[in-house]
Structure formats: C-alpha cells, structure tokens
Amino acid sequence: MILTSSLSLETACRQNWDVIVIGAGPAGAVAALQLARQNLRILLVERKTFPRYKVCGCCLNQRAIAALQQIGLGDLLTSAGAVPLTQFRMQYQGRDAVVTLPGGLAISREVFDTQLVQSAVDAGAEFLQETSAMLVGTSGNQTSRTVELCCQGQTAGSASAKIILAADGLGHPSLQNCAGFDMQVAPDSRIGVGAAFTVKNHAAYPAGMIHMAIHSSGYAGLVRVEGENLNLAAAIDRDFIKQCAGPANAVLQILRESGSAILPEMHQCSFKGTLPVTRKTLRPVGDRLFVLGDAAGYLEPFTGEGMANAITEGMAVAQLVPEGLLCWNSTLEQKWLRTHAALTDDRLFWCRWLARLLRSPSAVSWGLRLFHLFPGMARPIVARLNH
C-alpha cells in the first residue's frame, strides 16, 4: 500500500487545525485516528515517505493487540498478514533456551504504520508526508501553537493548531527550538541497529519464533514478518560497533559468537542505525503540547513492549485533548504526566531488569541453563511483559 497526500502544503498552512500531530508512527497515527473520530480537524505530519523502513523489533504483544482490538483495528493485523508468535528462543555462546509465548504477532513497520495512517485518513485526518515540522517557541498567543513546515530542507510556511502532539521519535527533532524538553540519555545507552531482507523458508529462523542472539556487548533479535521477510533488530554497545568497524560487522559478530545461523542474505543487506536508545524526556508536556511515544522516552523493550506503549499512549492522549481544547491548564499537564508514568515508566520495570541481566555474561549463562531445564520459570516474566 502506498499512501498519497491529497493535502498541499499551502492548504495546510491556511487551515486552522484543532490538533497537529508530528510523527506518523504508532503513537501519532493512533492519536490522529482517535481524534479524527471525534470530528476534530487533525493534521498528521510525517517527514518520511510511506511506506518506510524503521529499525524496530516488529513484534506486537498481547497488550498491543488488545489495545488495537479496543479501538476497532483487530482485523487490520490479520488482513495485513501479521505472523502469529508462539515461541521465544534465546541463544548465548552455543547454549539456548526456548520459552512458549502466550500470544503475539510479528508485522513489519512498513506495513503496520502505513495501515495505521490509512485508518486515520479514512477517519478524516489529513496526512502530509515528506514534510518536517518544528514547533515555534511560545508566541504570546495562548490559544494556539505554531509549527514551521519544511519540505526538502526549505521552509514552506507555518501552520497553527490549538494543541500539538509531538510523536516524532528518538530525539524529538520537532522540539529543537523549544526550551524545557531536554532528554536524559543513559551513559551506557546502546545503539539500535536494524535490517530487513527476504529469505526462503529457513530452518534456523522459522515463522512464529522470536530468535534472540545474546552477546556481552549487545543482542540481536530476528523474527519472520509477512511474506518471506525476516526482520533483524539489535541493541549494541557503541564501543563494540567502533571495534567492529560498523554496525553490520557488529551484528554478524553477535550472531556468530552466540551460535546463531548467519544467512547469505545478511552479508548483502543494508544495516541502519539509530540514536542511543535508552533515554527519556524529563518533562513530556508543555504549553498546549503533549509529547508521546519514543519522543517521550525509550528503553530497550522486549517482546513488543515498545509498540504497546506507543499505541496505548496514542489512545490515552486522545482522551485528554478535548479537555485541553476547552481549557488548557496546569492540571491537565499533571494528568498527562501521571498517565504517561502509568503507561510507560511504571510498566518498564521488567524491561529495565532484563536489560541489566543481558549485560551480565554470568547471569545470562545461568539464566539460560535454568530456563532450559525449567521452562516454567520464564512464564511469569513473559506474562508480565504481555499485559
């Protein structure tokens, strides 16, 4: 599916919008969908052209699936060819353990994000792609905020809305010119690395299994998505990437030392990287502004927790926006801070715990032995990550 923008930049700048959503990933697209269903005037702005590749594990856990079903998008996953997930395999220095998953689906971000945006457009949101947006500092007009719209590096005009949603991913570039939205980056934060390639049915990476190759300097996850596509996403120490002379060599080294299979296609694909991933925006709210999704904070997620957070935050912010349209105040800002903490910070305990565990070779070695001998020990952890 290829999305087309029927709205011109000139028209976007002339309109008076209720909400401008910056970033068309799951958080932004779900928020735009829910707000458009309330008959609000919504502009969804995306700097990339859809469909587009994005570094991501491409897994939806039960929490994410339940959230999509709640907003009437359960059939979207089936029609898009999402692959049911049944097993999670961990491999480290030739040892492995397989854990049964209680459910989940794998789907590429090219397909999933495009389907979400199309749903928002069908609900009445306007979509403007190949356009970057940057929030302008407070202008003194307390009833709206303004964003500058740029196309191909050139400022094309500005658009205003009563409320802005910043959902433009790691580093939230839309807020670069606004004070008070500094991000706290963990000193030991790893770099995200990803690639996608087409392979024939291969016994090493069967459909329905998340495969995690673990190394003292990072890990790589591989999963079959729709068609014959295999998605790879890794989190790797920055020094190890330098030591290996690039992300591709670092990923292959992790696979090789964990005992995982290296397919011929892996030598030919193009690997992409991200900013350091473990970070958070110290205050993800401001004057007529909500910050959500990866723009608000990101921690190495496991078994779909990242996309679950994004989807549920998009749903939650859509419930607060109508109140903000009537009267924006500090009480509403506090509501978002509490909601964001409940949906993300408070739920990421297990992700933090697992991230630390994976940095300890001895803990990984003993953990795999225990999980191999007693698979039931892993079930409470997997269940907690899925709900």
Side-chain angles (χ1 to χ4, degrees), residues 32-51:
L33 166 65
Q34 292 296 87
L35 292 169
R37 287 173 171 174
Q38 299 176 46
N39 295 318
L40 299 175
R41 294 164 297 178
I42 308 301
L43 175 63
L44 177 60
V45 183
E46 168 59 45
R47 66 187 180 91
K48 298 286 189 178
T49 303
F50 272 45

Side-chain angles (χ1 to χ4, degrees), residues 56 154 183 219 243 284 312 338 362 375:
C56 179
Q154 300 295 319
M183 299 201 87
Y219 56 86
Q243 177 186 325
T312 53
R338 290 193 297 270
S362 59

Side-chain angles (χ1 to χ4, degrees), residues 15 36 93 109 155 174 193 218 269:
Q15 294 281 355
Q93 293 184 344
R109 291 292 297 275
T155 300
S174 64
V193 176
C269 65

Side-chain angles (χ1 to χ4, degrees), residues 197-215:
F197 38 94
T198 301
V199 296
K200 296 294 182 182
N201 241 342
H202 197 286
Y205 303 110
M209 174 181 284
I210 302 173
H211 181 98
M212 179 176 280
I214 304 170
H215 185 276

Side-chain angles (χ1 to χ4, degrees), residues 47-387:
R47 66 187 180 91
K48 298 286 189 178
T49 303
F50 272 45
R52 56 90 175 91
Y53 170 79
K54 188 171 179 65
V55 177
C56 179
C58 293
C59 295
L60 294 166
N61 62 14
Q62 286 184 307
R63 179 183 165 218
I65 295 168
L68 291 170
Q69 291 171 340
Q70 184 180 336
I71 59 176
L73 297 182
D75 292 341
L76 176 151
L77 298 170
T78 303
S79 62
V83 179
L85 296 172
T86 58
Q87 292 183 311
F88 183 70
R89 182 188 186 193
M90 297 163 282
Q91 199 161 11
Y92 175 70
Q93 293 184 344
R95 298 190 183 93
D96 70 349
V98 178
V99 176
T100 300
L101 293 175
L105 294 167
I107 184 170
S108 70
R109 291 292 297 275
E110 294 99 319
V111 171
F112 183 55
D113 290 10
T114 301
Q115 292 279 3
L116 288 180
V117 171
Q118 186 62 60
S119 296
V121 170
D122 291 344
E126 296 285 359
F127 179 52
L128 197 59
Q129 59 186 336
E130 296 183 89
T131 305
S132 60
M134 189 167 293
L135 185 64
V136 176
T138 304
S139 62
N141 177 3
Q142 299 303 310
T143 62
S144 67
R145 295 297 300 265
T146 300
V147 297
E148 288 185 351
L149 300 178
C150 299
C151 184
Q152 296 180 344
Q154 300 295 319
T155 300
S158 60
S160 297
K162 296 174 183 176
I163 292 177
I164 307 296
L165 304 185
D168 51 336
L170 294 177
H172 51 51
S174 64
L175 305 180
Q176 286 181 2
N177 293 338
C178 298
F181 299 99
D182 296 333
M183 299 201 87
Q184 185 180 68
V185 181
D188 60 349
S189 177
R190 286 171 162 165
I191 298 292
V193 176
F197 38 94
T198 301
V199 296
K200 296 294 182 182
N201 241 342
H202 197 286
Y205 303 110
M209 174 181 284
I210 302 173
H211 181 98
M212 179 176 280
I214 304 170
H215 185 276
S216 58
S217 297
Y219 56 86
L222 299 99
V223 66
R224 289 272 183 174
V225 290
E226 67 282 349
E228 293 184 332
N229 298 310
L230 183 65
N231 183 79
L232 184 154
I236 308 174
D237 290 342
R238 285 171 273 187
D239 289 344
F240 188 67
I241 292 177
K242 292 178 183 177
Q243 177 186 325
C244 294
N249 290 335
V251 168
L252 294 175
Q253 187 74 3
I254 288 172
L255 294 176
R256 188 176 298 111
E257 293 191 18
S258 70
S260 304
I262 297 178
L263 307 182
E265 293 85 355
M266 294 177 181
H267 294 281
Q268 304 164 6
C269 65
S270 174
F271 286 83
K272 297 185 180 297
T274 70
L275 296 171
V277 295
T278 305
R279 58 177 61 216
K280 66 181 295 185
T281 300
L282 298 179
R283 184 176 172 81
V285 69
D287 181 28
R288 295 188 172 274
L289 168 71
F290 294 108
V291 186
L292 62 154
D294 291 352
Y298 190 91
L299 182 82
E300 301 171 27
F302 299 89
T303 62
E305 191 66 10
M307 283 206 280
N309 285 342
I311 294 165
T312 53
E313 280 204 351
M315 294 166 59
V317 80
Q319 295 178 9
L320 293 180
V321 163
E323 182 180 344
L325 292 174
L326 292 174
C327 178
W328 188 276
N329 53 51
S330 59
T331 301
L332 181 64
E333 294 181 12
Q334 290 301 316
K335 283 184 180 179
W336 177 243
L337 291 176
R338 290 193 297 270
T339 300
H340 171 71
L343 291 175
T344 58
D345 293 348
D346 295 349
R347 297 188 63 92
L348 289 176
F349 169 81
W350 284 111
C351 287
R352 291 188 182 94
W353 184 81
L354 286 171
R356 293 191 186 102
L357 178 69
L358 289 175
R359 293 174 186 269
S360 169
S362 59
V364 171
S365 181
W366 279 106
L368 286 186
R369 288 177 183 176
L370 289 172
F371 290 162
H372 182 79
L373 293 172
F374 309 103
M377 291 183 64
R379 288 172 192 155
I381 299 174
V382 174
R384 182 65 183 85
L385 288 171
N386 273 269
H387 294 283

